[in-house]
Amino acid sequence: MGKVVLGVTVGVAVAACAVAALVVGRRVRSRKKWKRVVGVLKELEESCETTVGRLRQVVDAMAVEMHAGLASEGGSKLKMLLTFVDNLPSGSEKGIFYALDLGGTNFRVLRVELGGQRSELDPDVEHQPIPEQLMTGRSEDLFDFIASSLHRFVENGNDSVQSSIMKELGFTFSFPVKQTSVSSGVLIKWTKAFAIKDMVGKEVAGALQQALDRKGLNMRVAVLVNDTVGTLALGHYHDADTVAAVIIGTGTNACYWERTDAIIKCQGLLTTSGGMVVNMEWGNFWSSHLPRTSYDIDLDAESPNPNDQGFEKMISGMYLGDIVRRVILRMSEELDVFGPVSSRLYVPFALRTPAMAAMHEDDSPELTEVAKILQDVLDISDVPLKVRKLVVKICDVVTRRAARLAAAGIVGILKKIGRDGSGGITGGRSRSDIKMRRTAVAVEGSLYTQYTMFREYLHEALHEILGEDIARHVVINVTEDGSGTGAALLAASHSSSGSVDNIQLV
Ligand code: BGC
């Protein structure tokens, strides 16, 4: 009997030991796995590092590339495009003007009534999503669609469509265009999600004008502008110290006011104001100082435009979500912390930036929004809290880098025009000797306006790079629908009744 009891006791002890060994083994394996996950995160953090020293190198590179792009055609990846906008709205513009704003996933139609005094503007605005097939189909279909929407918009307003008085339209077209005048230009290439082959190399305002004529709209395209230029126009209308405008939305770009004598590639360019707005197309900026990860390299290689828009691919709303998707995919494949690898993780752009921002800004203790988005968007369920925290951290690293690089870009412009307090590109004077002028930068785009963490990181970096003394002279103003409203303002200042062509190429 005693032997039996002993036998059972030993058996139980052996079994308990085996279970314990199993549990410990599992724990050790899971701890090791977690260590490797943390390793992947650490590697991401290190390769996204944006110390203030590195940001200053990006600032310098941006200023140098701006010089190079102004010196010769093709002298830099920064195209530094002439806009033929040599005067910003003065506030005395009067009348009713229309604008069409095409460039992101939505397009907008606007009607603006200008009273002649720098008054508050209250445009009628209609937003419309662009059907995806139109972004990659035939140009005529896209322009007919836009013209129909404009026709409906005019009809629904108080104006008659076929009135004998010609209406003036500002056309905001947010892609790289080689302008031939303020109201005409040729598309250089598409960016973002657009890829209409038959349009590249074609005159843009002409294509719209033909579509308007086909619809019987008595309207003239008075100006063709980039969205940054519209934003600068509205920014300047509200704050005369505005010297530059930046868009951080689906894509990213900046424009600024430049002296004509600094535009060396266009010798003999004369404007009465002595200056002109330059569309930098900074989305295509590149420098070896940019902190690039293997995820960026893969994203670029798999994009329809490899080696193009490198800065944009690290900063703008079109891409941030996809960088995060790639990091989660790698962790899921290599370390199975997200359970079986979800097939949704292989779908390019499955995780859009608004969903990523919502996860990043989830402040619930259990990160319920993160769990919901992982489930609804990526089909990943039952993710433990510590893994949800990991996802938030990935979003943070990707967004922080983007915002800080955008800040470095802005300071690059300030440096180029001598407004960064460093005494310009040649430097020499100490910061305390320099009398800083108030400098305003107009900013627009959903990433900046709707993503609080992004905005805060951008401001923080501006202060770090410039230092508090200089930073307090630099104001960031958000404009609302500036890209469109600004185009209407520019249509007014370049309207057939009021404008004289002040630009000469001698
Ligand atoms: C385009 C720019 C535009 C920017 C913001 C970029 O992809 O190339 O022309 O200003 O997006 O919309």
Side-chain angles (χ1 to χ4, degrees):
M1 182 66 189
K3 271 189 190 164
V4 174
V5 172
L6 186 68
V8 171
T9 315
V10 170
V12 169
V14 169
C17 282
V19 170
L22 208 71
V23 171
V24 170
R26 251 199 220 138
R27 271 206 200 128
V28 169
R29 269 200 304 281
S30 122
R31 230 180 265 143
K32 269 197 187 146
K33 194 164 69 185
W34 187 248
K35 237 176 142 183
R36 281 170 52 209
V37 172
V38 173
V40 174
L41 177 67
K42 208 156 164 241
E43 188 189 305
L44 174 75
E45 279 183 289
E46 280 166 8
S47 41
C48 285
E49 190 54 273
T50 47
T51 57
V52 71
R54 191 189 269 255
L55 291 179
R56 291 212 173 103
Q57 288 173 318
V58 175
V59 168
D60 290 346
M62 181 67 81
V64 166
E65 290 300 315
M66 289 172 78
H67 275 274
L70 290 172
S72 63
E73 210 62 73
S76 162
K77 287 206 88 165
L78 283 184
K79 291 201 171 56
M80 307 300 284
L81 300 168
L82 300 190
T83 61
F84 293 84
V85 173
D86 63 332
N87 263 304
L88 291 168
S90 62
S92 62
E93 295 78 10
K94 269 189 181 160
I96 293 174
F97 294 87
Y98 286 83
L100 262 183
D101 185 352
L102 173 74
T105 35
N106 286 308
F107 93 100
R108 280 168 279 205
V109 198
L110 298 92
R111 179 181 182 276
V112 187
E113 205 166 335
L114 301 170
Q117 275 131 14
R118 206 176 273 270
S119 51
E120 269 312 305
L121 301 174
D122 186 20
D124 294 333
V125 187
E126 197 179 280
H127 293 242
Q128 261 199 49
I130 304 169
E132 243 173 81
Q133 74 276 11
L134 288 186
M135 297 185 189
T136 50
R138 288 177 342 131
S139 59
E140 210 175 290
D141 296 338
L142 175 70
F143 283 104
D144 278 344
F145 171 79
I146 295 172
S148 299
S149 307
L150 182 59
H151 190 277
R152 251 196 331 274
F153 181 77
V154 176
E155 226 169 27
N156 293 342
N158 295 328
D159 290 350
S160 138
V161 177
Q162 272 132 358
S163 128
S164 59
I165 304 164
M166 167 131 40
K167 298 174 194 57
E168 309 261 8
L169 174 82
F171 184 23
T172 308
F173 184 73
S174 311
F175 302 95
V177 166
K178 188 167 172 49
Q179 305 251 174
T180 38
S181 74
V182 75
S183 59
S184 59
V186 167
L187 174 65
I188 301 173
K189 62 174 185 183
W190 290 105
T191 56
K192 298 171 279 196
F194 283 75
I196 302 171
K197 285 207 189 76
D198 74 88
M199 194 59 212
V200 177
K202 293 243 180 77
E203 211 284 297
V204 180
L208 175 62
Q209 188 67 61
Q210 282 163 17
L212 298 179
D213 296 347
R214 280 197 291 275
K215 285 273 164 297
L217 266 165
N218 189 13
M219 222 175 232
R220 178 186 83 106
V221 182
V223 289
L224 171 68
V225 293
N226 187 259
D227 51 355
T228 52
V229 180
T231 301
L232 179 60
L234 184 63
H236 191 268
Y237 179 87
H238 288 309
D239 182 342
D241 289 335
T242 309
V243 294
V246 176
I247 303 277
I248 318 171
T250 310
T252 185
N253 188 15
C255 75
Y256 72 108
W257 182 259
E258 182 58 281
R259 295 188 334 263
T260 40
D261 60 2
I263 310 177
I264 297 167
K265 65 180 171 187
C266 200
Q267 286 287 336
L269 178 67
L270 285 182
T271 64
T272 25
S273 62
M276 184 180 280
V277 177
V278 172
N279 167 15
M280 293 172 62
E281 284 297 329
W282 88 0
N284 204 35
F285 168 67
W286 190 251
S287 155
S288 57
H289 297 301
L290 291 173
R292 201 178 197 206
T293 67
S294 58
Y295 309 104
D296 301 306
I297 295 172
D298 293 347
L299 182 149
D300 181 53
E302 290 162 29
S303 72
N305 54 350
N307 293 321
D308 255 357
Q309 302 296 104
F311 199 49
E312 177 161 278
K313 285 173 181 159
M314 287 184 167
I315 292 181
S316 80
M318 167 127 184
Y319 303 101
L320 295 194
D322 206 53
I323 302 176
V324 171
R325 174 191 67 87
R326 284 165 189 276
V327 182
I328 297 179
L329 173 61
R330 176 170 163 207
M331 287 181 171
S332 183
E333 275 182 337
E334 290 182 14
L335 307 156
D336 93 64
V337 276
F338 292 93
V341 185
S342 158
S343 60
R344 289 287 295 156
L345 279 174
Y346 292 101
V347 179
F349 300 104
L351 180 64
R352 302 265 170 198
T353 303
M356 167 204 171
M359 293 201 287
H360 189 190
E361 298 188 329
D362 182 358
D363 55 7
S364 65
E366 291 298 309
L367 297 176
T368 43
E369 189 62 22
V370 177
K372 186 170 181 309
I373 291 172
L374 287 175
Q375 167 75 68
D376 295 353
V377 177
L378 296 176
D379 215 2
I380 303 175
S381 44
D382 302 324
V383 179
L385 183 59
K386 82 171 176 184
V387 178
R388 302 204 288 270
K389 285 187 179 159
L390 179 78
V391 171
V392 174
K393 183 69 194 164
I394 299 168
C395 298
D396 186 66
V397 173
V398 172
T399 291
R400 185 168 182 270
R401 177 186 68 162
R404 290 172 71 80
L405 290 179
I410 294 174
V411 181
I413 302 175
L414 299 182
K415 181 164 192 132
K416 165 71 184 69
I417 57 176
R419 299 283 189 109
D420 70 327
S422 71
I425 209 160
T426 41
R429 288 196 286 162
S430 80
R431 288 186 156 215
S432 53
D433 296 342
I434 292 156
K435 192 161 179 332
M436 270 294 290
R437 282 167 64 186
R438 182 176 178 278
T439 297
V441 178
V443 179
E444 199 161 299
S446 50
L447 217 56
Y448 183 85
T449 56
Q450 285 167 35
Y451 194 167
T452 313
M453 299 288 281
F454 183 97
R455 192 166 58 238
E456 283 174 1
Y457 278 140
L458 188 150
H459 289 178
E460 184 180 75
L462 272 183
H463 282 250
E464 275 178 41
I465 306 170
L466 289 168
E468 291 306 323
D469 279 357
I470 305 292
R472 70 196 155 83
H473 298 280
V474 177
V475 189
I476 303 280
N477 291 327
V478 175
T479 55
E480 204 180 320
D481 277 325
S483 49
T485 312
L489 279 170
L490 288 166
S493 51
H494 292 83
S495 75
S496 43
S497 54
S499 86
V500 267
D501 199 352
N502 291 324
I503 302 171
Q504 288 176 36
L505 292 164
V506 290

